[in-house]
Amino acid sequence: MPLFGKKPEADKKHYSDVRRRYEFKKTLGTGAFSEVVLAEDKTERGKFNAIKCIDRHGLVGKEESLENEIQVLRKLRHPNIVQLQDVFEDKGHVYLVMELVTGGELFDRIVEKGSYTEKDASLLIKQVLEAVDFMHDKGVVHRDLKPENLLYYSPMDDSKIMISDFGLSKTEESGTMATACGTPGYVAPEVLAQQPYGKEVDCWSIGVISYILLCGYPPFYDENDAALFQQILKAEYEFDSPYWDDISGSGSVVTQP
Ligand code: PIT
């Protein structure tokens, strides 16, 4: 089945050669079979995008999940979700033209800062909750929320965060999902137990991310994956002293500016 075979009309405007439209500037990130590149729009100089270039060799047998990612991204328009703007394809690659965000990963910011104040953490998590609530309403479960997939909108501005990488996301309409996926430390117990799961798994991951923002280390950690899985399955975590001593309880309200 050809990629994007379902909506040929909607995809007509795509050029056969993405390089005719965009000037590739530099690599922003690399994955196993993909690379995200900074690109300038030749039809509108000074306008930049991030283009995710996916090697078709890595897609053999996975064409459907890419098609799924594209369909998911197309229907999500939210201020805190990196927007898919266009799709190109050629013989060797599929290109996802994404909104450019330049602030880098939340992960790197946490490493830099150690931890966040409750107020800063709440301002970030509120945006993540709003974006995730929005996609859950559309029947989309991200399934791989983690600080590496949360990107700061701009390097100057610590206030806006964007959700990216819907590579593992799923539309819930296909029934209850049971595939084990995601990143161990952030993954919900029902996923590890290979039980049917749904939107709740994103809420679990947001809990883990909130924990890390507040204290600077993860709630579940073991170098041994089997031991890590056990901790998660038993929801075995603590608010260790002294790190959590000055962090307020869950009933308190942090005043917004
Ligand atoms: C940027 C800058 C950057 C990475 C990205 C965007 C990636 C975005 C992305 C990747 C996906 C996806 C959705 C968004 O499904 O360094 O502007 O795989």
Side-chain angles (χ1 to χ4, degrees), residues 103-110 116 147-152 161:
E105 297 173 5
L106 174 64
F107 180 87
D108 296 320
R109 211 71 73 95
I110 300 171
Y116 283 64
E148 293 87 331
N149 290 340
L150 299 176
L151 307 176
Y152 275 99
I161 198 92

Side-chain angles (χ1 to χ4, degrees), residues 28 36 50 52 69 73 82 96 98-101 151 164-167:
L28 295 172
V36 178
K52 183 174 173 181
E69 178 179 354
L73 284 169
V82 175
L96 307 187
M98 318 283 319
E99 174 183 10
L100 178 65
V101 297
L151 307 176
S164 77
D165 208 333
F166 287 74

Side-chain angles (χ1 to χ4, degrees), residues 176-181 187-197 229 233:
T176 36
M177 306 172 290
T179 330
C181 67
V187 151
E190 61 269 35
V191 179
L192 290 178
Q194 301 196 331
Q195 290 184 345
Y197 61 87
F229 286 11
L233 287 170

Side-chain angles (χ1 to χ4, degrees), residues 15 20-23 25 39-49 85:
Y15 300 71
R20 225 181 293 164
R21 168 82 184 263
Y22 293 96
E23 192 173 307
K25 296 283 188 187
E40 186 176 8
D41 190 340
K42 292 185 194 173
T43 70
E44 206 179 329
R45 287 291 174 182
K47 182 176 165 280
F48 293 87
N49 283 94
Q85 294 180 346

Side-chain angles (χ1 to χ4, degrees), residues 201-243:
V201 303
D202 286 340
C203 301
W204 177 279
S205 304
I206 295 170
V208 175
I209 294 166
S210 307
Y211 184 105
I212 296 172
L213 287 178
L214 289 171
C215 67
Y217 62 87
F220 309 107
Y221 183 75
D222 201 295
E223 289 195 5
N224 178 283
D225 270 355
L228 173 62
F229 286 11
Q230 280 312 307
Q231 286 180 20
I232 296 171
L233 287 170
K234 294 188 213 151
E236 203 176 271
Y237 67 94
E238 280 167 27
F239 297 119
D240 321 89
S241 186
Y243 312 100

